[in-house]
């Protein structure tokens, strides 16, 4: 009885303080950034038969609300809400998916109650979606694309921490104005530069010029800034794009023929990306077909199948001026396809296309 009597003031104090603590917690939560998570599918939403299945699984199975529920720590760093935009493996992304996603993101970032957007995405074409959004989203709000290399059912799954990191980056004020970002494996990459370089490790994403920074325990650390035009200083605007011209990629290799290039042109490609050997070189027996293709009004854009920190030099081994061809600069073939498709919504002029490839 005596003990209870002694503890009474403590209980009284607690009863008095509890409402204030609750109000303080609510006030702290209200200060957290508002981040919308748009789910599109991929391995981050994948499920395998057992915890040992880190590479054998079905992608695009887990809905966005379960992804969010799987990382309760998100509520410590942001007020998140999720939307299931698609539920597909990203190798099946089409231009229509890019347009639909891009237009939805543009609507979201206009809202004053949205501070950042995270897009969960399959890793196969994540780099293409990130670059596309980097070109057409006229906002400085953080847009962060994230995936995972292992399904959430696997031992040492990487999706939970990748999602936590992506929300941390999207909710961080110092992520603003850096273009569309990709958060994978503790690194923050530019959506322009990053590509999937390894198909089966968690350290899968590489940028030829290096990541922009890192995110560790929910905090962002920056070391570089993008050099090329993006988002708010882009001349492209998703709100004015309702169709993406068809652009295809043909690979260069020993014993190559002109069959693929001709087929793409016949199928209506408005530009063909040549994924050339070395410096975007073109086999002698393919040059006549590419000259004819150019004369027919289809653009020829030389990229390189070599993608590790180099760039295709104009008029080096190929007389680009004479043939009226364009070079993709440092963009790999899949990135060059995205830029060519977006650029062709504004111009058919090869000199303008070349300017765009220098600047973006
Ligand atoms: N099917 C692949 C995709 O959706 C799985 C790869 C992944 O998401 O990591 O891109």
């Amino acid at each position: 009885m005596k003990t209870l009597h002694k503890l009474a003031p403590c209980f009284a104090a607690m009863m008095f303080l509890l409402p204030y603590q609750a109000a303080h917690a609510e006030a702290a939560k209200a200060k957290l950034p508002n981040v919308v998570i748009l789910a599109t599918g991929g391995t981050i939403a994948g499920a395998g038969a057992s915890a040992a299945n880190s590479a054998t699984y079905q992608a695009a199975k887990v809905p966005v609300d379960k992804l969010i529920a799987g990382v309760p720590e998100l509520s410590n760093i942001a007020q998140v809400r999720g939307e299931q935009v698609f539920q597909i493996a990203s190798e099946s992304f089409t231009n229509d998916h890019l347009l639909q996603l891009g237009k939805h993101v543009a609507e979201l970032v206009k809202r004053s109650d949205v501070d950042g957007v995270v897009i969960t995405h399959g890793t196969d074409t994540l780099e293409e979606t990130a670059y596309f959004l980097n070109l057409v989203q006229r906002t400085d709000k953080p847009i962060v694309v994230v995936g995972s290399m292992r399904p959430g059912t696997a031992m040492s799954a990487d999706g939970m921490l990748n999602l936590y990191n992506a929300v941390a980056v999207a909710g961080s004020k110092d992520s603003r104005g850096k273009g569309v970002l990709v958060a994978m494996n503790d690194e923050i990459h530019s959506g322009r530069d990053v590509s999937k370089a390894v198909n089966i490790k968690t350290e899968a994403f590489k940028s030829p010029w290096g990541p922009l920074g890192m995110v560790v325990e929910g905090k962002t650390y920056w070391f570089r800034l993008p050099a090329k035009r993006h988002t708010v200083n882009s001349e492209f605007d998703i709100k004015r794009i309702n169709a993406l011209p068809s652009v295809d990629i043909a690979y260069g290799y020993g014993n190559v023929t002109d069959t693929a290039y001709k087929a793409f042109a016949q199928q209506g490609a408005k530009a063909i990306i040549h994924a050339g050997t070395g410096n975007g070189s073109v086999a002698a027996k393919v040059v006549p077909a590419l000259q004819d293709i150019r004369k027919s009004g289809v653009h020829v854009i030389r990229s390189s199948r070599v993608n590790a920190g180099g760039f295709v030099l104009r008029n080096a081994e190929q007389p680009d001026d004479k043939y009226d061809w364009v070079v993709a600069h440092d963009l790999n073939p899949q990135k060059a396809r995205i830029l060519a498709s977006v650029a062709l919504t504004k111009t058919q002029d090869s000199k303008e296309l070349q300017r765009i490839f220098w600047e973006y």
Side-chain angles (χ1 to χ4, degrees), residues 110-153:
K110 278 192 311 194
R111 296 174 55 146
S112 59
D113 63 346
V114 173
D115 299 306
V117 175
V118 166
I119 298 164
T120 61
H121 195 293
T123 58
D124 284 7
T125 62
L126 187 151
E127 65 205 77
E128 298 175 41
T129 300
Y131 189 34
F132 171 72
L133 296 171
N134 197 55
L135 293 169
V136 302
Q137 293 297 327
R138 305 298 292 273
T139 180
D140 68 349
K141 288 185 181 177
I143 299 167
V144 185
V145 191
V146 64
S148 75
M149 295 301 293
R150 297 173 180 156
T153 48

Side-chain angles (χ1 to χ4, degrees), residues 20 48 66 72 79 88-89 97-98 119 121 148 161 170 174 189 212 234 270 282 293-294 323 329 340:
Y20 287 92
K66 279 190 78 177
Q79 299 194 80
I88 58 173
H97 287 113
L98 289 178
I119 298 164
H121 195 293
S148 75
L161 183 56
D174 61 14
H189 290 263
L212 300 181
S234 171
K270 300 301 179 205
V282 182
I293 284 168
R294 182 67 199 105
Y323 293 164
H329 201 26

Side-chain angles (χ1 to χ4, degrees), residues 21 25-26 50 74 137 141 188 196 217 230 235 246 258 306 316 329:
Q21 281 173 333
E26 272 311 302
S50 83
L74 290 175
Q137 293 297 327
K141 288 185 181 177
I188 309 170
K196 185 174 182 179
E217 296 188 350
H230 60 75
E235 64 200 271
S246 174
D258 58 17
V306 176
H329 201 26

Side-chain angles (χ1 to χ4, degrees), residues 40-46 57-60 88-93 121-126 147-151 158 184 196 199 205:
T40 72
T43 296
I44 196 168
Y57 55 83
Q58 280 203 304
I88 58 173
S90 74
E91 62 270 23
S92 300
F93 250 68
H121 195 293
T123 58
D124 284 7
T125 62
L126 187 151
S148 75
M149 295 301 293
R150 297 173 180 156
D158 55 329
M184 287 292 288
K196 185 174 182 179
N199 73 326
F205 280 75

Side-chain angles (χ1 to χ4, degrees), residues 25-35 74-79 115 171:
E26 272 311 302
K29 188 172 171 55
K31 283 191 190 136
L32 292 175
N34 296 306
V35 174
L74 290 175
S75 63
N76 301 332
I77 58 172
Q79 299 194 80
D115 299 306

